Structures are given as C-alpha cells and as structure tokens.
Amino acid sequence: MSEVAPDAIRVGVLGARGRMGTEVCKAVDAAPDMELVAMVEVGDWLFNMSDAGAEVVIDFTRPEVVMDNLHWCIDQGIHTVVGTTGFTPERIKRVEHWLSAKPGLGSIIAPNFGIGAVLMMRFAQAAAKHFESAEVVEFHHPNKVDAPSGTATRTAELIAAARKEAGLGASPDATTQALDGARGADVEGVKVHAVRSAGMIAHQEVILGGAGETLTLRHDSVDRASFMPGVLLATRAVRSKPGLTVGIDSLLD
Ligand SMILES: NC(=O)C1=CN([C@@H]2O[C@H](COP(=O)(O)OP(=O)(O)OC[C@H]3O[C@@H](n4cnc5c(N)ncnc54)[C@H](OP(=O)(O)O)[C@@H]3O)[C@@H](O)[C@H]2O)C=CC1
Ligand SMILES: O=C(O)C1=N[C@H](C(=O)O)C[C@H](O)C1
C-alpha cells in the first residue's frame, strides 16, 4: 500500500473483484493522492461505502445493477465515476434528474476511459462529415456481457450527429440481407458490428469511405491498465464538476 496524503480522496470501488474492479483497486491504492476506503462486491452492503466515508465511488459492475448503485450513491451525496456500460439516453436523463436534487454533486459516466479510445472517438467525429460511408467494428473478449459495446454505440452516435449536422444522409448500401444480422446493428443509421474472440481485450475500428479511398481508425486496449489513467483523471476531477459529465473528452484539454 502506498503512503496516503492527509487530504487524499477517499475512494470506494463497486465491482471490486471484477476484471476492471481489480485493476481499479490496484490503481487507486497506488495513487499517492487517493485512499482506497471500501471495496464492494455483489452481495455486499452498499452502506459499506458511506460507513467508510467514501467521497467518490467508482462503479465497474453490470448494466443491470448500475442504475440502482448510482441512485444510492447520489442519494447519499457521494460523487461517482462510472465505467459500466448500458447508458441509454433515457438512463442519462434519469441520472441528470437525480443529480438536479443534489447541487454540487458530480457524476462522470464514460463508455471508455482509455485515452486512445477517447481520441479515436474524437477523430471519428471530426472525420465523419468528409466521407459518404461510415461503419464501426468492435472486437472484445468473449466474457463481455453486452453488445454492441458502449464505446461502439457512443462512436456511432457521434458519427451520426456529425453526419446529420453536415446534411449527409444514410451511407450508401444496396444490400438485401440473406441472413438477419449480416449487416450488423443499426445505431442512428450507422452500422455497428461486434466480434467476440478469445485472445482479445477491447479493440475498435471505424471505417470511413469516400470516392477511391478509405480511412480506418483503429484503437487497441491490449491490457486493462490502458483504462487506469482515465479512471484516475475522472476521480480527481469529479468533485469539482457538479452535474453529469458524459465521457472524459472534456477532461483531456
Ligand atoms: N468505461 C470503460 O473504460 C470500461 C468499461 N467496462 C465496462 O465495465 C463493466 C464491467 O466490466 P468487467 O470488469 O469486464 O466485468 P466483470 O463481470 O469482470 O466485473 C463486474 C463485477 O461486478 C460485480 N457485481 C455485479 N453486481 C454487483 C453489484 N450489485 N454490486 C457490486 N458488484 C457487483 C460482479 O460480480 P459477479 O461476477 O459475482 O456478478 C463482478 O465482480 C462492463 O459494463 C464493461 O463493459 C469495461 C472496461 C472498460
Ligand atoms: O467490457 C469491456 O471489456 C469493455 N467495455 C467498454 C465498452 O463496452 O465499450 C469499454 C471497453 O470497450 C472494454
């Protein structure tokens, strides 16, 4: 355990024994300006967080439990940093509503804390208006519970918004599918494809096509350590960012 500064941020981790939670506990424990005060797993008492005086709770659990966790933390006046996926626009509105009753309280929800992944999304958004075709392909380990990934969904939403703003219609596509799913899922008019394979962690390609050229943006997380600088950045920022922040893009500049 690292030496703890007297004014260290008191951090609790939800989903502490999961693939991400384990890494997050290590990263928080090693950060000189943070103190890991609670590690909560499925079946544990959420009040362990408040009993331990957690100021910031980091959640890497599951889409089906994250809303209850978040609601409880907000109710208790605890800031939250959330990496768990499954945040639909309707869920985001509910979180904003809960936060509106707690002035000064912050929540940062990010589909991806990898700096490279955040930049990939930014580059995809910037490039989208210049190409008539755009598709997203995500690749993950086979134990991932959701598809498409939160990152792929967010990337497709950003591309769709940029295309709409530029007055672009749908990507050209004359295909009739012989089998359902052959052309992937549709996220606001942008096709998203999900690959699951042993040997992978988290990877994504954004393929943009125009007359006689393609641009492929690719990001690879080959180790979950890739998410830790972003998680720590958000944990340091959240206490002075009241309300809801979606993504860590705005924290990078
Ligand atoms: N934003 C980002 O940068 C990243 C986001 N993720 C997302 O994070 C989430 C977790 O991923 P990952 O770590 O791989 O998944 P894991 O299944 O390895 O971890 C989730 C952990 O949460 C536990 N858990 C389930 N319910 C609760 C609960 N109510 N309270 C406390 N703990 C609970 C699980 O226990 P049990 O197994 O017993 O159910 C498990 O230990 C996913 O949504 C994933 O997409 C992943 C990587 C990066
Ligand atoms: O489950 C994962 O592993 C990951 N989940 C996030 C997502 O769904 O986008 C982030 C990253 O892709 C890893």
Side-chain angles (χ1 to χ4, degrees):
M1 198 180 277
S2 60
E3 198 153 309
V4 176
D7 56 350
I9 309 167
R10 297 175 66 78
V11 179
V13 177
L14 268 170
R17 280 197 291 273
R19 285 177 288 268
M20 282 297 290
T22 307
E23 284 293 321
V24 169
C25 289
K26 277 195 273 176
V28 169
D29 207 26
D33 57 341
M34 293 181 198
E35 184 179 4
L36 181 60
V37 296
M39 296 163 67
V40 170
E41 251 303 316
V42 65
D44 288 343
W45 189 228
L46 267 177
F47 277 99
N48 290 350
M49 292 296 181
S50 43
D51 289 351
E55 297 168 80
V56 179
V57 162
I58 303 175
D59 185 302
F60 280 93
T61 56
R62 284 177 171 258
E64 63 271 24
V65 299
V66 66
M67 288 300 277
D68 285 348
N69 292 343
L70 202 41
H71 197 181
W72 184 88
C73 289
I74 292 171
D75 219 40
Q76 295 293 314
I78 302 174
H79 303 282
T80 43
V81 169
V82 181
T84 309
T85 46
F87 281 87
T88 58
E90 186 272 329
R91 282 185 167 202
I92 293 287
K93 276 208 190 81
R94 270 160 63 201
V95 177
E96 280 171 338
H97 175 68
W98 297 335
L99 283 167
S100 67
K102 296 278 181 179
L105 197 66
S107 182
I108 298 177
I109 299 176
N112 201 312
F113 284 99
I115 307 297
V118 173
L119 291 173
M120 174 193 56
M121 287 189 259
R122 194 188 278 188
F123 299 155
Q125 184 180 21
K129 68 176 179 194
H130 299 289
F131 294 89
E132 59 182 301
S133 298
E135 302 211 2
V136 179
V137 190
E138 54 99 328
F139 311 77
H140 281 85
H141 59 93
N143 295 316
K144 182 163 176 59
V145 290
D146 55 334
S149 71
T151 309
T153 304
R154 177 84 180 140
T155 308
E157 287 167 355
L158 293 171
I159 291 171
R163 287 176 69 90
K164 189 171 171 200
E165 197 182 313
L168 290 179
S171 293
D173 181 5
T175 311
T176 303
Q177 292 188 105
L179 284 176
D180 279 353
R183 289 287 294 114
D186 189 292
V187 177
E188 296 181 20
V190 178
K191 294 290 186 210
V192 178
H193 312 265
V195 176
R196 297 289 174 264
S197 173
M200 293 184 172
I201 300 276
H203 319 258
Q204 181 166 293
E205 287 187 2
V206 179
I207 303 165
L208 300 141
E213 63 172 344
T214 60
L215 169 66
T216 303
L217 304 172
R218 182 173 172 108
H219 176 259
D220 297 279
S221 273
V222 296
D223 191 303
R224 289 185 178 84
S226 61
F227 303 113
M228 297 309 126
V231 171
L232 297 184
L233 180 70
T235 304
R236 289 184 180 110
V238 69
R239 296 179 307 169
S240 50
K241 266 193 125 9
L244 178 62
T245 304
V246 177
I248 59 164
D249 197 80
S250 63
L251 308 182
L252 295 187
D253 300 319

